């Protein structure tokens, strides 16, 4: 028997209604149309973290106090997943390539400046235990970590350091650590594989309270007055590199954990 299109409409509506009220079917429909909010959120956070990290490394972020807590997981992945090491290796390779273009005078006055913490010595184990930089800086606990003398070296900085020594550069280390920490810092550096530096400059009593950029500029100026030519400077903070008596070339190594203005 033939049916008109009009007579088929009620049957279609009844069938659609049965599908919608069936628990098994309707749950599948709802599940299939539900947005994967959690997955998208993680992806979005990871993407914004990369943008934030770029702003930090290029100094577009300016002075900042702590790592936003939502980025801690991404920061952990950045370090533990190998991207940090790759980034540092790239910076070190450019620095060494530049160093090879410098004509060494042979008088011992061709110098390269290094910062210490997060440039030649890694305090990552300390920051792992303290929120990857998401917690405010605690000088007491950090100094307790420093005196343990267990910070490790970076493979990239060791390669750069030794490569510069082989080329004939004199190494000058400038750190915000206190003069009272000289002995443990020297031991830690040697244990990590560094040796043969010309100067290790730390904060004396007269340097307490000075901004990092002022302190480090003054120390570089002292070296220039001694006749050193500062061809290169490697540091994890912009305050390691800026100011006055700056090197011919500065190389910023990655550090999205903390900022020292």
């Amino acid at each position: 028997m033939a049916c008109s299109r009009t007579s088929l409409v009620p049957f279609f509506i009844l069938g659609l209604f049965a599908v919608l009220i069936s628990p098994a079917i309707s749950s599948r429909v709802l599940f299939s149309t539900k947005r994967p909010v959690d997955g998208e959120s993680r992806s979005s956070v990871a993407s914004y973290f990369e943008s934030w990290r770029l702003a930090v490394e290029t100094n577009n972020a300016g002075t900042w106090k702590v790592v936003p807590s939502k980025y801690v997981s991404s920061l952990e992945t950045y370090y533990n997943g190998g991207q940090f090491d790759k980034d540092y290796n790239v910076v070190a390779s450019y620095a060494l390539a530049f160093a090879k273009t410098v004509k060494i005078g042979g008088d011992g006055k061709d110098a390269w400046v290094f910062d210490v913490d997060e440039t030649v010595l890694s305090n990552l184990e300390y920051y792992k235990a303290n929120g990857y930089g998401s917690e405010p800086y605690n000088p007491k606990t950090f100094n307790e970590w420093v005196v343990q003398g267990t910070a490790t070296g970076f493979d990239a900085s060791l390669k750069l350091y030794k490569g510069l020594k082989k080329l004939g550069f004199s190494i000058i280390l400038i750190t915000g650590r206190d003069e009272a920490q000289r002995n443990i810092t020297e031991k830690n550096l040697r244990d990590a594989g560094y040796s043969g530096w010309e100067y290790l400059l730390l904060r004396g009593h007269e340097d307490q309270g000075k901004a990092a950029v002022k302190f480090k500029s003054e120390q570089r100026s002292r070296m220039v007055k001694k006749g050193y030519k500062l061809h290169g400077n490697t540091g994890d903070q912009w305050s390691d590199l800026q100011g006055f008596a700056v090197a011919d070339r500065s190389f910023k190594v990655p550090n999205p954990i903390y900022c020292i203005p």
Side-chain angles (χ1 to χ4, degrees):
M1 181 176 67
C3 297
S4 68
R5 292 183 180 179
T6 303
S7 64
L8 287 175
V9 171
F11 292 101
F12 174 77
I13 294 174
L14 285 173
L16 179 61
F17 181 73
V19 169
L20 292 176
I21 65 173
S22 170
I25 298 176
S26 61
S27 64
R28 290 177 186 174
V29 171
L30 289 173
F31 180 79
S32 66
T33 58
K34 185 178 181 180
R35 295 178 62 200
V37 175
D38 291 341
E40 288 185 356
S41 177
R42 285 193 296 270
S43 174
S44 177
V45 169
S47 176
Y48 276 108
F49 165 74
E50 290 302 324
S51 298
W52 174 82
R53 187 170 66 82
L54 176 62
V56 165
E57 299 298 355
T58 55
N59 205 27
N60 288 327
T63 300
W64 50 279
K65 294 185 180 299
V66 295
V67 173
S69 58
K70 64 182 177 180
Y71 294 149
V72 169
S73 179
S74 297
L75 192 60
E76 186 175 6
T77 300
Y78 173 66
Y79 278 95
N80 296 337
Q83 188 59 52
F84 168 81
D85 294 324
K86 293 176 182 176
D87 290 348
Y88 201 149
N89 280 327
V90 168
V91 175
S93 66
Y94 279 121
L96 194 55
F98 165 72
K100 290 177 179 178
T101 69
V102 175
K103 185 177 180 180
I104 302 298
D107 58 358
K109 296 298 185 179
D110 294 289
W112 197 284
V113 178
F114 281 92
D115 168 57
V116 173
D117 291 300
E118 273 56 69
T119 299
V120 295
L121 291 180
S122 171
N123 299 301
L124 185 59
E125 291 305 312
Y126 169 81
Y127 286 103
K128 281 182 179 179
N130 291 274
Y132 279 93
S134 64
E135 300 174 6
Y137 173 66
N138 186 324
K140 182 178 182 295
T141 58
F142 183 74
N143 286 327
E144 289 171 352
W145 158 263
V146 167
V147 299
Q148 293 178 29
T150 56
T152 57
F154 296 101
D155 289 342
S157 65
L158 280 165
K159 182 179 179 180
L160 174 59
Y161 186 100
K162 293 178 179 179
L164 292 169
K165 290 282 294 177
K166 188 175 181 180
L167 289 171
F169 285 90
S170 294
I171 305 298
I172 299 170
L173 303 172
I174 307 178
T175 175
R177 294 185 179 192
D178 290 344
E179 183 63 41
Q181 297 170 329
R182 174 176 293 278
N183 290 342
I184 191 62
T185 300
E186 289 181 344
K187 182 180 184 301
N188 197 163
L189 286 165
R190 292 191 180 98
D191 289 345
Y194 304 95
S195 62
W197 56 82
E198 291 296 315
Y199 288 91
L200 171 60
L201 305 174
L202 302 94
R203 282 184 185 264
H205 177 74
E206 69 280 5
D207 300 312
Q208 300 303 313
K210 289 181 181 177
V213 68
K214 176 176 173 59
F215 164 68
K216 296 202 169 186
S217 293
E218 289 176 350
Q219 298 306 308
R220 291 194 302 268
S221 182
R222 281 180 54 201
M223 296 296 100
V224 170
K225 289 175 182 177
K226 287 179 179 290
Y228 285 97
K229 297 178 285 291
L230 307 183
H231 295 289
N233 186 2
T234 304
D236 67 288
Q237 300 291 317
W238 284 101
S239 54
D240 296 331
L241 312 173
Q242 296 177 331
F244 54 91
V246 297
D248 293 337
R249 285 286 305 276
S250 294
F251 296 87
K252 167 72 169 65
V253 301
N255 179 6
I257 290 182
Y258 62 81
C259 172
I260 300 177

